[in-house]
Amino acid sequence: MRLLVIEDNRDILANIVDYLEAAGHVVDCSLNGPGGLHLALTERFDLIVLDVMLPGMDGYQLCQSLRAAGNEVPIIMLTARDALDDRLQGLKAGADDYLVKPFALAELAARIEAILRRVQGSRQRRLQVGDLVFDLETVAVSRGGLALKLNPACLKLLEVLMRKSPAVVRREVLEEALWGDNIPASDGLRSHLHLLRQVIDKPFAQPLLHTVHGLGYQLSEAEHGR
């Protein structure tokens, strides 16, 4: 799993990173709030370990900013404050769990594993790339909280692209998802992708669906040439 640790105490940060990497996780880190927010918004993480007291932007503000952007990555908050009001403030900001310093690294790792197990179960029914969300149970698609309407073919393409994101999906894979072995002679895939792009990208400032020339298509928050 890929984790992001945002902690301004270098010694605590190093201990956490070393322990989690030894447990088999890939760990990125930041020493301040703005840097951590930038990483969280531009990269994909399975979970964030977030300190409350940070330079530039505190953990509460960072968490609120992520949730406001539609980012629902699980967050465990770390703080030396153990008052009930402080814990409630973190949970109201959108955190999933709250751990008071000092804490045992084994407990942090156990809480991370527990949240990841729970999230993995729900992710099978809910896909998300950036602020684009696809609820597989209700077949509802939204971006930035705005409901989107897609036809069945576009829904199928979107599901494949979101499951593979941020990897590039070859056009042959998308064609097989739509038509199986009965792929039409005309370039129907291009038409469906155009319709999909009109719905999920055109009304929004940041494009998510990218054409990777010579390879296929990619659903990603990263900037690409189309």
Side-chain angles (χ1 to χ4, degrees):
M1 294 294 175
R2 188 180 181 194
L3 311 179
L4 173 61
V5 181
I6 308 173
E7 165 65 64
D8 66 327
N9 184 303
R10 293 179 181 273
D11 291 334
I12 294 176
L13 178 63
N15 288 336
I16 292 174
V17 171
D18 288 346
Y19 192 93
L20 295 178
E21 287 183 339
H25 298 293
V26 176
V27 185
D28 288 25
C29 58
S30 175
L31 288 161
N32 59 72
L37 179 62
H38 176 75
L39 281 173
L41 289 174
T42 57
E43 303 288 341
R44 292 191 65 194
F45 296 98
D46 296 290
L47 183 140
I48 296 175
V49 178
L50 173 63
D51 187 35
V52 169
M53 301 303 294
L54 293 167
M57 170 186 290
D58 68 31
Y60 301 131
Q61 295 171 316
L62 195 156
C63 190
Q64 289 171 336
S65 297
L66 281 179
R67 299 308 187 226
N71 189 314
E72 297 189 5
V73 60
I75 294 174
I76 297 178
M77 275 193 167
L78 307 178
T79 182
R81 301 173 176 177
D82 60 356
L84 176 60
D85 288 346
D86 294 316
R87 296 198 300 273
L88 291 177
Q89 184 177 354
L91 295 173
K92 288 178 180 178
D96 297 86
D97 201 354
Y98 199 99
L99 196 55
V100 177
K101 298 177 180 178
F103 54 85
L105 290 171
E107 181 180 3
L108 173 61
R111 293 195 184 204
I112 289 173
E113 294 297 337
I115 290 177
L116 290 177
R117 284 196 301 270
R118 185 166 68 245
V119 170
Q120 283 177 332
S122 64
R123 278 180 178 169
Q124 296 175 0
R125 303 183 296 275
R126 189 173 186 276
L127 304 174
Q128 181 169 354
V129 176
D131 59 351
L132 179 65
V133 178
F134 188 173
D135 188 319
L136 299 177
E137 287 191 344
T138 63
V139 200
V141 178
S142 64
R143 182 167 182 191
L146 178 67
L148 306 178
K149 293 184 178 180
L150 293 168
N151 64 34
C154 287
L155 286 171
K156 173 56 70 175
L157 290 175
L158 183 61
E159 179 179 350
V160 174
L161 288 163
M162 292 186 82
R163 287 189 183 279
K164 298 287 188 180
S165 176
V168 176
V169 183
R170 292 181 292 109
R171 63 178 295 115
E172 293 85 0
V173 173
L174 295 173
E175 288 174 337
E176 183 178 356
L178 285 181
W179 298 292
D181 295 330
N182 301 311
I183 298 174
S186 60
D187 192 0
L189 179 63
R190 185 184 298 274
S191 298
H192 288 304
L193 286 167
H194 175 74
L195 289 175
L196 178 60
R197 182 171 276 144
Q198 292 298 303
V199 177
I200 68 170
D201 274 351
K202 189 174 182 180
F204 305 95
Q206 180 183 8
L208 294 177
L209 179 56
H210 309 283
T211 301
V212 184
H213 297 289
L215 294 176
Y217 299 88
Q218 178 188 42
L219 200 67
S220 170
E221 293 179 275
E223 294 293 337
H224 296 269
R226 291 192 180 186

